[in-house]
Every structure is written in structure tokens, then in C-alpha cells.
């Protein structure tokens, strides 16, 4: 069995059986375990989103009652944030590709890595348990604002514990990545020779590591408050609900950058590959990741402009919010400049990247609208905010995720996907997405508050458009999933480097062997994206 | 936009127009450039890529310009917002009570109402008081919103500049019927407002019903048997209720004493199948006299 | 061998990485308590009188003794590392034992302190507690929450050191390879550092 | 960047692992005890100076923490990177408290 094979054993073939997966310490297998878990949760939460849109197609009760609706949007938000978007890119693509891209064979602490996955699963189980025990899932919104979260009879305690456990999973992933990047880069791989995806993960990891403990302890306080009936945040017992909001957003604002920074890293990989030229402004992009991560810690108050926070505090948080937009703008400009004088090959991942830029622009620019004091007073907690965050989270991070799924599909599964079908699926998703969320921005400006089960007649038309958009989006997503599953069975076998990429993962076979490489990878001399040096492909 | 319904519309909509204008400009131009590049430098037209690593001048330009721009945006946002916090002392003072799930407005002469009636062109100062959880008083047409936080008094103010009625929403999630926590603000000409303000004749309702309405009991307890959040009041008098007291189930007769306890210590006996903790104690809000009225009224709901 | 293995493999022994990882973990622990210190700071600012009043219920002497106990235990772990570095495994084992004994002493003293509070009915939900004014309740709740969480860390740290002793006996931790002991020590010092702040903030508000 | 593999020193290499003498540790411990006694005294005696005593207590506690970190935890002899990162962590923690407190102070 262990004779030298011409084609080394890839990591799929190395061992068989369920246990060889769920107890594996191979970062590639752990990455895939995350992928399957994440995508399952994603489908569940999408189905919930779909149900919400059905309910909102007309005023009055359509398919569910008010309490159920409230539970549905809470579960939708909790799953999408804690179980899908926060782990998605780092835990799946990061685990799979970070060690390969910096030229090593695993993360620094493989066992800890496995433990993070188990914690993730445990947290997921807790979240799902809320469905079946007691009075059903929490109905507080994903923000768990006190004092309602202390008073309601639904399973808030369980949901909060789920978020707590998932937080620890996220911390351990971040810790692992930081040490990996510091200690395990291949010989010759200096900091500024790392692919930008590793830079993005590095910046993200610091947010995961240093922001998450705050939410952990805050959620524990909510549990204690519910269990012991003490008044940490409930004013009836002497607490202050606004302090809870501070603590919650100290984490949850940086958390939105946990969601988008790795996605930005993906875009920085895909664009140079398909433009067939080096990235424009490598250092600017790398530094702006760190800048976003750092400044992102100081802006949390922009979620509390109407909460009764003091006037001076509102002003300071508003100005800092505007400053954090600048590094994002720098990235966008550099990506677009990378397309200049390239030799562009319009493949599906590039289409996703372009959609990312367009949609992230809408999301980011609407972020500026709600970062300004006067306008946020009007728009806070309206559908404008819902539109904003779906544009950045789904239109941005989500689309980058799907783009990278196509980009690395050949590398992970060793097969080519069907290009024509994937483009049709992309088009449906793009159209559906914008029809679904653009109307929400207008609804918000008209004044429709969010978390509304029922609404006034005036808002009907736009809600109908939005719901119909969700159906087109479904069609696109389902087509994409079917296409990928089918391609995995029947697609052409992928070569090492089907796109002509320049980073190290393209130097190894597809799928990679157990120890990632079959020969010492050659770290390119100049920038990691030098296509000229790498003409052979 | 620019309806001038309140004194803030101008400022808010100006900052809106400026930020939105800049945003649309960036969105359209960046998207256009991106699409143009992808078409112009498609590999069929431009087979040989040119590597351009960086351009310091360009990097500095597109760092500095957005920085200046966002500071301008911030400035207009701040200016539109500043008058909202300069709350005048003189004007119509109203206490706005938010509770699950209704609004109640109390005027200086003790008049109370579930809609906010205000005179035109006069500052109205609202003291926002919550009786249970977070709410948020939101008047889209006036461009104002402020959370109603239990345990502290937030304030907001405005000048209604156009006669008419405008929607009030609750904009902070507060439980099951959050989306039904609606009301209206009615801006009246001075004389009409004074007429309304001085009209203290009691409503035509049964006095018990008036108490129930005033305290928003009926936002949780229906009068016709439908289940909202609390048990319906229909047929409640004299029937046997299954309650949980200190974790133990028991059956009690709904009589005067039980009703009084339900109102003053709602968590003492929790009706089976309903949630504890939602109903607050009305110890300081409903007098014993009023409870008598309520009971008289409940007796009529067979 | 069928499989090619890289030179800079993640499976190589790397003491620097282990220690670096441990430090990062300590950062998260610091911020975990940091959240509680934040809550403490704000509520103390809002209710300084009540906090002052409530703090008189705490026993400064016991608190001081416990501080000394923890500091000494920190010393003994630090010494045990020096000992193992010098190859004196036996001394190292004794010093770790001493540390664990100090940990137990700390817990026993805490136990007496807490039981005294229980007897006074000061635990959330008890009689006396329920009749306190809200801000004093807050003080006691924070006291129990923070010292409780700290106590939990003492237990975990002690158990970790016990496990390390076992590893020393099994020769998995040796004078050539003692990074595990160093990490255990780091964790233990963190527990000490947190107490260094808890002590004046709760016991010494006078 | 230099080749990292060369910078990764051999395990147990006495050149690299700074061994702190027993005596030195004990000296540090004595210092810590003195600081502890000082805080207790300041607090018990400085009854009239409430605000002052909070600040002194915190300064002394911070001093103790720095000593523990630097010597007991060998931070002084580790890679400077860790000290820097510790600084960043502490900076964030201070910002969290400062910004939140700012809201309360300016209300
Ligand atoms: C991936 C997630 C993500 C990302 C990246 C962002 C990015 C930003 N967000 Fe968003 N946000 C959320 C997720 C995210 N947000 C969520 C989930 C909520 C709601 C939470 C809840 O209440 O449930 C929210 C809510 C939210 C609010 C609170 C609204 C309210 O409740 O009242 C605010 C207010 O300031 C805000 C602002 C911003 C800003 C300024 C950015 C910036 O980082 C955007 C920067 C990007 C750009 C600006 C685009 C690129 C710019 C250019 C190409 C150049 C042109 C620009 C200039 C002239 C500067 N967000
Ligand atoms: C990554 C983040 C993410 C993503 C991708 C989405 C995706 C979607 N969200 Fe999202 N949403 C949030 C994060 C996200 N959401 C958050 C954080 C909130 C705030 C919650 C709160 O207020 O607390 C929110 C709130 C929110 C609201 C506001 C609720 C309210 O305020 O009342 C609405 C309303 O329309 C909505 C709709 C949708 C829809 C239609 C999708 C669609 O994109 C989904 C598209 C998919 C489909 C339409 C289904 C297709 C698939 C199937 C049908 C699969 C079949 C099933 C199986 C095989 C199991 N969401
Ligand atoms: Cu009241 Cu929402
Ligand atoms: Cu934010």
C-alpha cells in the first residue's frame, strides 16, 4: 500500500469511514466538516428567510402568527450570523487554504482546530434544541436586548448559551490562525509575500480573539440574570439596559468585520487570477485590512444613536464610523484598478467578485447614510438597516463565499464545475438578490420599522416586489447547488492549476495530498501575484 | 422629502441628499469603470496583461479624498441632528408612556389620550417613560425617533408645522405585538387644540372599560374571547382559572380578591399556558376604586 | 513513503508557538474578565455610595490572606520552572505540589467567606439579599459572579497543574521539554493577576 | 524576513531559555507582598480620601500585575512581540471602558 505511487494519495482517499473524518486533525478535512455543517445551517436559515418573505407578502396574517414570526427572524438572524457568516470563510476556506497558501502542512494546533469544530457542532445543537424544548426558539431578535430577553418565556437561555459556545469556537480558530501565520510560513515567505487572503485572515483572527470574549461574558450575564433573577440589566431591579447594548455592540460591531474581511481577502485572490496580472496596491490592501480591524473596535456606538446615549458620545461614534469607511474604500479602488490593463477572463468567480464590488458598494454606502447622525435618527431600526446589512452580509460576504466556492471547487474536489450552468445560476441570484433587497432600502426611507410582523397598506407594493425577488434568488441558489453537486460527480478532472493562479495552492495536485504538497513549493520571488514569472501555469 | 412637516425635516433631508448624492456618484462611476475595464481588457481584445504594482500618488489621492468627503458627510449629519438635542424648556409638555403594546400620552392638565394631539407651530416636549421593556417612539414624517428606556427618562421634541395626522410607530422590538404598537400624532390649529385640550368630559364608555383602555389592558386581553398574549376577559368573571402558584398547579375561583391580586401581583398566580413576567404590576397605576369599576365591567362580559 | 512531508511542518515541535498560543489565550481570558470589570466600573460610578456601603460586609482580613496565598502560589510555580530548567525534577514536583496546596487553601478560605455570606442570606434569591436596595444587590451579585468565575479558574488551573505533575512523572515533561509546565504556570499567574485586581475593587473600597 | 527555521532555536537550549535564579523570584515575591500590605494600609487608613484610595489601589494593583507578568511570567525575556500585543490588548480594554464611561459621564 505504501509503495511510491505516481499520483500521491489525496486527502479524501487517505482514510475512510465517518470516524476518520469527525476525529481527523487534518486541516483540510476539518475545513470540509465545517463546510458541510455551515451549508446545512445556511439552508435552514434561508428557508426561514423565505418563510418571512411569504409572511410579509401582504399585510395581516398570511402564514404564521406574530409570535412565530418573531421566533423565525430571531433564529434566522442567529443562524445566519453565528452559525453561517462568522465561521463561513475563516473556518472553511481559511482552514482549508491558509496552511497551503503559506506553504505548510497544517495549522499550528491541529487538535485545537478539531476542538473548535466540535464546539461549533455543540453550539449548533444548542441552537437547534431551542426548536424542540420548552416554549420554542427565542423571540428577542439576534441582539437579545435586555430587558425583553430577561422577561420573555421563550428559550433565550439556550440560544444565548449556543452563541456563547460558538464564540469559543471562533476564538480558538482565530488563535490558531495567528500562531500559524507567525510561526509556519514556508521558508522565504515573508510577511509581504503572503497572499492577501492570509492577511485578511490575520486581521480577522485578531478581532475573533479580542472581541469575542466580551460577548461571551455578556451573554453569561444574561443567563445569570435569567436564572438568578438579579438585575444586571433590568431596570426594574436596578440595572441599566443601555449598558447591555454597549457590551453587545463592543463585540458585534467588530463581528461584522469578522464577516466581511475574509470575504474581501477572497476577492483579492480572485481578481488578479482572472485579470491575469498582479494585484494593484498590495500593501495598501494588506494594511487596510489591519486598519479596518483596528478602527472597527471604536465605532460600536453607531448602533445606539437613538438609545439615549449622551450627545457627545453620539458625535464621537459617528465621526469614527465615517473614518472606518475609508480603508474599505481603499480596497475597492485597488480592486478596480487591478482590472486595468489586465487580460480578463470572465469566469464565474470573477462575476461573483464583480457582484461583490457592486453590492458591497451599495451596502457600504448605505452604511454611510446610517452612520450620519441626522439620517440615522430617521432610519434606525427601519428596513433601510435591514437592506444595508443584507447588502454587505449577503451581497458582499455571501457572494464572495459563493464565488470562492467556484474558484476553489477544482482544487478541493478535483473536478471542474459546469461553467454555463453556473453563469445562469449567477445571473438569477444577482437579479433576485437586488429585487429582494433594494425595495427594502426604499421601504426604510418611507419609514417602515424592522421586525414588523404586520405593516400598513402603503408599504404593500414594495414588499410584494421584495418577496418575488426572493423566489428568483431561491431559483438561482438551488441551481447553483445542483450544478456543483452534479459537477462533482460528472465534471471533468481538474488539473493542478486550471485558472493560472499564482499562489501556492495551485502548485499542488487537486485535490491536495494528505500533507498538502508532493514537492517543496516554490515561493515566488516578487509579489505573490506575479503572473509573468509564472507563465507555465 | 422636504415636506416640512416638522422643524427637523429640512436638516435631515439635506444631509440625506448630500450623502445619497455622493453615494450614487461613487456607485455609478465605480461600477461603470469596473464594467468598462472588464469589457475593454477582455482577454480577446487585450491578450497581454500589463503588470502595474502600485502608484503612490494614486493611493494617496484615493485615501485623502474619501477622508475629506466623509468628514463633510459627518458634518451635515451632525448639523441636521444638533437641533434635535437642543430641547427648549418652553412648550407643550407631554409625558409619553410606552408599554406592551400601546402608547399613552398624558398632558399637563392630567388629560390622557392614546393619540398625541399637538398644536401647530409650538414646541412639543415629550418625556419618554417605559413601563416595561424598550420601545422607541418614531414619527417618520417628522424624522424623529428616540428609545423609550425603562428606568430612565429620555426626551425628544419637535414643532409640528403642518396640520394633519401622521403615523407613530414603535421602532424598538418589544415582543409579540410590536408591529401593532401604533398611534398617530395629530397636529391641530391653535384654537382647535385648545378646545380639545380643555374638553375633559368623560368618555361614553363604561367606567370599567375606560380604565381598561387607559391602562392598555386590552392590548393584551381581548374582550371577545380571542387569545392575544394574556387570557381573554370574556367570561372570566366567576369561572375557575387554572393557575400556577409557586410552581404548583391549582384551581381558583375568579373573584374580587383574585382579580385584585392578578393586577397588583401578576406573577403570584400565573394562568396556565401563559407566560410569567409579561404583565407588570399595576400597584401604583390602578387604584382600588378603579379595580371595582373593572370588576363591574368584567361582570358584563359574559 | 508515499507521502512527501514538508520541512516546516505544523507537526514539528515548536515551543515558541505553544507559548505564543498560550499568551493569546490569556489575552482572551483577560478580556473575558474585562467585560465584568467594565460592568463593575459603570455601576460603581453610578452607585458609589451603595457599593461602598455593601463592601463593608466583606472581610478584609480573609481577602488579604487570600491575596498573600495566591501570590505565594505564584512564586512556587515560578520556582518550579526554574527548578526544572536546572534539571531538579524532584524539587520542581514539590514546588508544584505546594502550588496546588495553596490553591486548595485559597478555595477553602473562599468557601468560608462564601458560607458566611450565605448565612447572612446575601446570595441572590436569599432573604436578606432580596431586601437590599438594588445597587447593593448589584454589588453582591457582581461579587459572587466575579469571585465565582475566578474560583472556577483556580480550580481549572489547579487541575491543569495536577495533570502536568502526572506528565512529569510519565517523563513527558522533562528538563529538555517543559513548555507544558511553562504554559501551566502562565495560566496560574493569570489567575493571580485577576485576583490582584479583584481584591482592591471589592474588599478595599473603604 | 530571515528564514524562520533558523530562528527557531533548539528545545531546552540553555542559551535561549533565560533561567531566573531562585533568589530573584523570592525577591520579587517579597516586593509583591509589600505592595499588598501597602494597598491594605492605604485603604484602611485613608478613609477620608475615597477617590484617592481607588486610584492608588488601582495603581498599586497595576504595578503588581506588571511585576508578575514581567518576572514570574518571563514576559521580559520573551519575544518583544508578545509585550507589544499585550499592550494592544490592554489598550483595547482601556478604550472599551473609557468610551463606555464617556457616555455615562457626559449624560
Ligand atoms: C458584513 C457586515 C457589515 C459590514 C461590512 C458593515 C459595514 C458598515 N456598516 Fe453596518 N451593519 C451590519 C453589518 C455590516 N455593516 C449589521 C448586521 C447591522 C445591523 C445590526 C442589527 O441592528 O441587527 C449594521 C448596522 C449598521 C449601523 C446601525 C444602524 C442602525 O441600527 O441604526 C450603522 C450606522 O452607522 C452601520 C454603518 C456601517 C458602516 C459605515 C460600514 C462601513 O464599514 C462600510 C464601508 C464601505 C464603504 C463606504 C463602501 C466602499 C466605499 C467606496 C468605494 C468609496 C466611496 C466612499 C466614500 C466617499 C468614503 N451599520
Ligand atoms: C448572512 C446573513 C443573512 C442572509 C444570507 C440572509 C438572507 C435572507 N434574509 Fe435575512 N437577516 C439576517 C441575516 C441574513 N439574512 C439578520 C442578521 C437579520 C436580523 C434578524 C433580527 O432582526 O434579529 C435578518 C433579518 C431579515 C429580515 C427582517 C425581519 C424583520 O425585521 O422583520 C428579512 C425580511 O425579509 C430577511 C429576509 C431574508 C431573505 C429573504 C434572505 C434570502 O437571501 C434567503 C434566500 C434563500 C431562500 C429564499 C431559500 C432558498 C433555499 C431553500 C428554500 C432551501 C430549502 C431548504 C432545505 C433544503 C433545508 N432577513
Ligand atoms: Cu413597543 Cu416595539
Ligand atoms: Cu456596526
Amino acid at each position: 500500500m505504501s509503495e511510491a505511487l505516481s499520483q500521491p494519495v489525496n486527502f479524501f482517499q487517505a482514510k475512510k469511514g465517518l470516524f476518520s473524518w469527525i476525529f481527523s486533525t487534518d486541516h483540510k478535512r476539518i475545513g470540509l466538516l465545517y463546510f458541510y455543517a455551515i451549508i446545512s445551517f445556511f439552508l435552514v436559515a434561508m428557508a426561514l428567510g423565505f418563510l418571512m418573505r411569504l409572511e410579509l407578502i401582504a399585510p395581516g396574517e398570511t402564514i404564521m402568527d406574530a409570535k412565530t414570526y418573531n421566533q423565525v427572524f430571531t433564529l434566522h438572524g442567529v443562524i445566519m450570523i453565528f452559525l453561517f457568516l462568522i465561521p463561513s470563510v475563516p473556518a472553511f476556506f481559511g482552514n482549508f487554504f491558509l496552511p497551503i497558501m503559506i506553504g505548510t502542512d497544517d495549522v499550528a494546533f491541529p487538535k485545537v482546530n478539531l476542538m473548535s469544530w466540535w464546539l461549533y457542532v455543540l453550539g449548533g445543537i444548542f441552537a437547534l434544541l431551542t426548536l424542540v424544548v420548552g416554549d420554542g426558539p427565542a423571540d428577542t431578535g439576534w441582539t437579545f436586548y435586555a430587558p425583553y430577553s430577561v422577561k420573555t418565556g421563550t428559550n433565550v437561555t439556550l440560544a444565548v448559551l449556543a452563541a456563547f459556545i460558538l464564540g469559543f469556537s471562533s476564538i480558538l480558530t482565530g488563535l490558531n490562525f495567528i500562531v500559524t501565520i507567525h510561526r509556519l510560513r514556508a521558508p522565504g515567505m515573508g510577511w509581504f509575500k503572503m497572499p492577501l487572503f492570509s492577511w485578511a485572515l490575520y486581521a480577522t483572527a485578531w478581532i475573533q480573539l479580542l472581541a469575542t470574549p466580551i460577548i461571551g461574558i455578556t451573554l453569561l450575564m444574561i443567563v445569570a440574570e435569567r436564572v438568578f433573577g438579579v438585575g444586571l440589566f433590568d431596570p426594574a431591579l436596578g440595572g441599566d439596559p443601555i449598558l447591555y447594548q454597549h457590551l453587545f455592540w463592543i463585540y458585534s460591531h467588530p463581528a461584522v468585520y469578522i464577516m466581511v474581511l475574509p470575504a474581501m481577502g477572497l476577492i483579492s485572490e480572485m481578481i488578479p487570477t482572472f485579470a491575469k496580472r498582479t494585484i494593484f496596491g498590495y500593501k495598501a490592501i494588506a494594511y487596510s485590512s489591519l486598519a479596518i480591524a483596528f478602527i472597527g473596535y471604536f465605532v460600536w456606538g453607531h448602533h445606539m444613536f437613538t438609545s439615549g446615549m449622551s450627545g457627545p458620545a453620539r458625535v464621537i461614534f459617528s465621526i469614527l464610523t465615517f473614518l472606518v469607511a475609508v480603508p474599505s474604500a481603499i480596497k475597492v479602488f485597488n480592486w478596480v484598478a487591478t482590472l486595468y490593463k489586465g487580460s480578463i477572463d470572465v469566469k464565474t468567480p470573477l462575476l461573483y467578485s464583480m457582484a461583490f464590488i457592486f453590492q458591497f458598494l451599495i451596502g457600504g454606502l448605505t452604511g454611510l447614510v446610517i452612520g450620519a447622525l441626522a439620517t440615522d435618527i430617521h432610519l434606525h431600526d427601519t428596513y433601510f438597516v435591514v437592506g444595508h446589512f443584507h447588502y454587505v452580509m449577503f451581497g458582499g460576504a455571501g457572494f464572495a463565499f459563493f464565488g470562492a466556492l467556484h474558484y476553489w471547487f477544482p482544487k478541493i474536489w478535483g473536478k471542474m464545475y459546469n461553467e454555463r450552468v453556473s453563469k445562469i445560476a449567477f445571473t438569477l441570484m444577482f437579479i433576485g438578490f437586488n429585487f429582494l433587497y433594494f425595495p427594502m432600502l426604499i421601504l426604510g426611507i418611507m419609514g417602515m420599522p424592522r421586525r414588523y410582523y404586520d405593516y400598513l397598506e402603503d408599504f404593500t407594493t414594495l414588499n410584494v416586489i421584495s418577496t418575488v425577488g426572493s423566489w428568483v434568488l431561491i431559483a438561482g441558489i438551488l441551481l447553483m447547488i445542483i450544478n456543483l453537486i452534479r459537477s462533482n460527480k460528472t465534471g471533468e478532472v481538474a488539473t493542478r492549476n486550471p485558472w493560472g493562479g499564482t499562489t501556492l495552492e495551485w502548485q499542488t495536485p487537486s485535490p491536495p495530498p494528505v500533507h498538502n504538497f508532493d514537492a517543496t513549493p516554490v515561493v515566488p520571488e516578487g509579489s505573490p501575484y506575479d503572473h509573468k514569472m509564472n507563465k507555465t501555469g | 422629502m422636504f415636506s416640512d412637516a416638522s422643524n427637523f425635516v429640512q436638516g435631515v433631508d439635506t444631509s440625506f441628499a448630500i450623502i445619497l448624492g455622493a453615494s450614487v456618484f461613487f456607485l455609478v462611476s465605480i461600477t461603470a469603470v469596473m464594467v468598462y475595464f472588464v469589457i475593454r481588457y477582455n482577454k480577446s481584445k487585450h491578450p497581454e496583461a500589463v503588470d502595474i504594482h502600485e502608484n503612490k500618488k494614486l493611493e494617496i489621492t484615493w485615501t485623502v479624498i474619501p477622508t475629506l468627503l466623509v468628514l463633510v458627510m459627518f458634518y451635515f449629519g451632525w448639523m441636521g441632528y444638533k437641533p434635535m438635542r437642543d430641547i427648549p424648556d418652553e412648550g407643550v409638555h407631554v409625558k409619553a408612556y410606552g408599554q406592551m403594546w400601546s402608547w399613552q400620552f398624558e398632558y399637563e392638565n392630567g388629560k390622557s389620550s392614546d393619540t398625541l394631539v399637538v398644536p401647530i407651530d409650538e414646541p412639543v416636549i415629550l418625556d419618554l417613560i417605559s413601563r416595561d421593556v424598550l420601545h422607541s417612539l418614531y414619527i417618520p414624517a417628522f424624522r424623529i425617533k428616540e428609545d423609550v428606556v425603562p428606568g430612565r427618562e429620555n426626551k425628544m421634541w419637535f414643532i409640528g408645522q403642518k396640520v394633519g395626522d401622521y403615523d407613530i410607530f414603535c421602532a424598538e422590538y418589544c415582543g409579540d405585538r410590536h408591529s401593532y404598537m401604533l398611534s398617530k400624532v395629530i397636529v391641530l390649529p391653535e384654537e382647535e387644540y385648545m378646545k380639545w385640550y380643555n374638553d375633559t368630559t368623560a368618555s361614553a364608555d363604561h367606567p370599567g372599560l375606560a380604565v381598561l383602555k387607559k391602562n392598555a389592558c386590552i392590548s393584551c386581553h381581548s374582550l371577545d374571547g380571542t387569545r392575544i398574549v394574556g387570557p381573554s376577559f370574556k367570561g372570566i368573571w366567576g369561572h375557575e382559572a387554572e393557575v400556577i402558584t409557586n410552581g404548583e398547579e391549582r384551581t381558583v375561583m375568579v373573584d374580587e380578591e383574585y382579580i385584585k391580586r392578578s393586577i397588583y401581583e401578576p406573577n403570584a398566580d400565573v394562568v396556565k399556558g401563559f407566560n410569567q413576567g409579561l404583565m407588570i404590576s399595576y400597584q401604583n397605576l390602578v387604584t382600588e376604586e378603579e379595580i371595582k369599576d373593572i370588576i363591574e365591567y368584567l361582570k358584563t362580559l359574559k | 513513503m508515499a507521502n512527501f512531508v514538508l520541512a516546516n511542518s505544523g507537526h514539528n515541535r515548536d515551543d515558541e508557538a505553544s507559548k505564543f498560543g498560550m499568551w493569546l489565550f490569556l489575552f482572551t481570558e483577560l478580556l473575558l474578565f474585562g467585560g465584568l470589570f467594565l460592568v463593575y466600573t459603570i455601576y460603581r460610578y453610578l452607585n458609589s455610595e451603595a457599593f461602598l456601603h455593601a463592601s463593608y460586609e466583606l472581610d478584609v482580613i480573609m481577602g488579604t490572606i487570600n491575596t498573600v496565598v495566591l501570590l505565594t502560589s505564584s512564586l512556587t510555580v515560578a520556582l518550579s520552572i526554574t527548578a526544572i530548567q536546572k534539571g531538579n525534577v524532584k524539587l520542581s514536583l514539590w514546588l508544584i505540589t505546594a502550588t496546588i496546596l495553596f490553591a486548595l487553601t485559597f478555595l477553602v478560605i473562599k468557601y468560608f467567606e462564601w458560607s458566611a455570606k450565605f448565612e447572612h442570606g446575601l446570595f441572590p434569591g436569599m432573604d436578606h439579599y432580596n431586601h437590599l436596595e438594588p445597587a447593593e444587590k448589584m454589588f453582591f451579585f457582581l461579587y459572587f459572579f466575579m469571585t465565582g468565575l475566578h474560583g472556577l479558574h483556580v480550580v481549572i488551573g489547579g487541575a491543569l497543574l495536577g495533570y502536568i505533575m502526572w506528565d512529569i512523572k510519565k517523563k513527558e515533561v522533562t528538563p529538555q521539554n517543559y513548555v507544558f509546565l511553562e504554559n501551566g504556570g502562565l495560566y496560574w499567574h493569570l489567575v493571580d493577576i485577576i485576583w490582584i485586581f479583584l481584591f482592591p475593587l471589592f474588599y478595599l473600597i473603604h | 524576513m530571515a528564514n524562520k527555521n533558523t530562528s527557531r532555536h533548539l528545545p531546552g537550549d540553555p542559551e535561549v531559555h533565560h533561567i531566573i535564579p531562585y533568589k530573584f523570584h523570592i525577591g520579587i515575591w517579597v516586593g509583591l507582598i509589600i505592595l499588598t500590605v501597602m494597598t491594605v494600609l492605604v485603604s484602611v487608613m485613608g478613609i477620608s480620601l475615597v477617590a484617592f484610595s481607588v486610584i492608588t489601589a488601582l495603581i498599586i494593583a497595576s504595578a503588581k500585575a506588571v511585576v508578575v507578568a514581567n518576572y514570574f511570567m518571563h514576559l521580559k525575556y520573551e519575544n518583544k512581540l508578545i509585550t507589544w500585543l499585550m499592550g494592544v490588548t490592554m489598550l483595547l480594554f482601556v478604550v472599551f471602558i473609557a468610551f463606555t464611561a464617556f457616555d455615562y459621564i457626559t449624560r
Side-chain angles (χ1 to χ4, degrees), chain A residues 139 277 281 334 342 344 380 454, chain B residues 41 46 52 59 145 173 180:
Chain A
D139 65 338
R277 55 155 285 187
N334 281 301
I344 296 166
H380 170 72
D454 199 353
Chain B
Y41 299 110
H46 197 256
I52 306 169
E59 296 286 353
K145 173 186 295 134
Y173 176 70
Y180 295 102

Side-chain angles (χ1 to χ4, degrees), chain B residues 142-159:
Chain B
F142 291 1
R143 308 284 187 271
I144 50 169
K145 173 186 295 134
E146 184 81 14
D147 286 8
V148 184
V149 181
R152 49 174 304 174
E153 249 177 59
N154 284 343
K155 277 181 195 290
M156 71 200 284
W157 81 288
F158 61 85
I159 303 175

Side-chain angles (χ1 to χ4, degrees), chain A residues 249 252-253 256 299-300 302-303:
Chain A
W249 292 113
S252 294
H253 181 79
V256 309
V299 306
W300 74 82
H302 66 211
H303 296 271

Side-chain angles (χ1 to χ4, degrees), chain A residues 264-510:
Chain A
M264 291 169 154
L266 296 173
I267 301 299
S268 311
E269 294 298 323
M270 291 189 275
I271 289 186
T273 302
F274 294 98
K276 294 275 173 293
R277 55 155 285 187
T278 189
I279 190 110
F280 188 87
Y282 174 93
K283 282 198 179 168
I285 295 182
Y287 283 133
S288 61
S289 290
L290 293 180
I292 292 175
F294 188 69
I295 308 174
Y297 278 110
F298 309 133
V299 306
W300 74 82
H302 66 211
H303 296 271
M304 302 163 58
F305 284 158
T306 69
S307 68
M309 193 166 63
S310 82
R314 296 185 205 199
V315 172
I316 288 182
F317 279 123
S318 172
I319 196 165
L320 288 168
T321 300
F322 276 108
L323 291 181
V324 80
V326 174
S328 302
I330 294 175
K331 280 185 193 272
V332 172
F333 292 132
N334 281 301
W335 290 325
V336 174
T338 302
L339 294 169
Y340 177 65
K341 291 207 173 162
S343 173
I344 296 166
D345 189 5
V346 187
K347 288 268 167 29
T348 312
L350 186 75
L351 288 175
Y352 277 103
S353 308
M354 290 170 70
F356 172 95
I357 294 182
F358 175 72
Q359 284 155 183
F360 178 73
L361 270 173
I362 299 186
L365 295 166
T366 51
L368 296 179
V369 176
I370 45 183
L373 285 167
T375 38
D376 186 61
I377 300 288
H378 176 52
L379 293 172
H380 170 72
D381 267 353
T382 64
Y383 261 82
F384 192 86
V385 177
V386 179
H388 157 70
F389 67 69
H390 282 97
Y391 262 100
V392 269
M393 296 204 294
F394 193 6
F399 270 62
F401 181 86
F402 293 132
L405 198 57
H406 289 85
Y407 180 59
W408 278 323
F409 187 80
K411 182 57 60 186
I412 299 175
W413 284 281
K415 295 284 178 60
M416 301 303 288
Y417 60 85
N418 182 323
E419 189 72 41
R420 207 171 56 89
V421 180
S422 71
K423 280 187 175 145
I424 299 174
F426 166 79
T427 312
L428 284 175
M429 280 170 69
F430 181 74
I431 294 173
F433 178 86
N434 285 286
F435 269 95
L436 168 53
Y437 294 112
F438 202 80
M440 291 191 185
L441 297 173
I442 305 170
L443 280 171
I445 295 174
M446 287 165 69
M448 176 170 164
R450 67 191 276 208
R451 296 173 173 175
Y452 259 31
Y453 163 72
D454 199 353
Y455 53 84
L456 303 181
E457 296 285 343
D458 320 2
F459 301 133
T460 314
T461 321
L462 287 165
N463 270 301
V464 172
I465 297 177
S466 173
T467 302
V468 173
S470 78
W471 300 337
V472 181
L473 180 61
I474 298 179
I477 293 186
L478 291 182
L479 186 60
M480 177 190 77
I481 294 177
I482 292 169
N483 180 38
L484 290 182
I485 294 178
R486 239 179 55 108
S487 302
N488 190 19
K489 294 224 175 73
T490 62
E492 272 174 59
V493 172
T495 57
R496 280 179 189 232
N497 192 356
W499 313 127
T502 56
T503 36
L504 298 191
E505 81 271 27
W506 302 112
Q507 295 186 11
T508 179
S510 318

Side-chain angles (χ1 to χ4, degrees), chain B residues 66-134:
Chain B
T67 310
L68 295 178
L69 256 169
V70 291
L71 291 178
V72 172
M73 293 176 181
F74 161 75
Y75 178 78
F76 280 95
W78 186 23
M79 286 305 126
Y81 152 86
K82 236 172 94 174
M84 297 183 191
R85 287 292 103 197
D86 288 338
I87 303 175
D89 298 327
E90 291 292 304
V92 180
H93 285 263
V94 183
K95 284 195 159 66
Y97 291 96
Q99 72 175 69
M100 289 171 170
W101 290 279
S102 70
W103 297 101
Q104 192 201 336
F105 301 97
E106 206 178 281
Y107 288 76
E108 276 166 304
N109 65 351
K111 189 178 171 91
S112 124
S113 153
D114 56 5
T115 48
L116 178 59
V117 181
V118 299
I120 191 168
D121 289 337
E122 215 179 304
V124 178
I125 299 115
L126 299 177
D127 288 338
L128 306 171
I129 302 158
S130 166
R131 291 199 173 123
D132 37 45
V133 297
L134 296 170

Side-chain angles (χ1 to χ4, degrees), chain A residues 2-3 103-106 108-110 171 175 178-179 182-187 206 209-210 213-214 217 220-221 224 228 230-233 237-240 243 247 250 515 517-521, chain C residues 1-6 8-11 14 16-18 20-22 24-25 27-29 31-36 38-39 42-43 46-47 123-125 129 134-135 137-138 141-142 145 149:
Chain A
S2 62
E3 291 88 83
T104 182
D105 67 348
D106 212 326
F109 309 116
I171 289 179
L175 189 156
I178 294 178
V179 179
H182 271 276
R183 300 293 305 173
L184 289 175
R185 278 169 289 128
W206 277 108
L209 194 78
L210 298 183
I214 305 278
I217 198 71
L220 272 193
M221 285 188 253
F228 295 110
V230 287
L232 272 176
F233 301 121
L237 302 165
D240 181 6
L243 185 58
L247 286 160
I250 286 177
H515 292 287
F517 291 96
D518 53 358
T520 309
Chain C
M1 281 231 290
N3 288 318
F4 167 83
V5 180
L6 285 170
N8 66 324
S9 159
H11 301 283
D14 184 353
E16 287 290 299
S18 316
F20 189 34
M22 191 66 199
L24 294 180
F25 183 70
F27 292 172
T28 71
E29 290 275 13
L31 284 165
L32 191 80
F33 278 93
L36 286 167
L38 172 56
V39 172
I42 300 300
Y43 284 142
L46 294 177
N47 319 297
F123 193 74
Y129 177 88
K137 282 185 184 167
M138 193 88 74
F141 182 69
L142 283 172
F145 199 149
L149 193 64

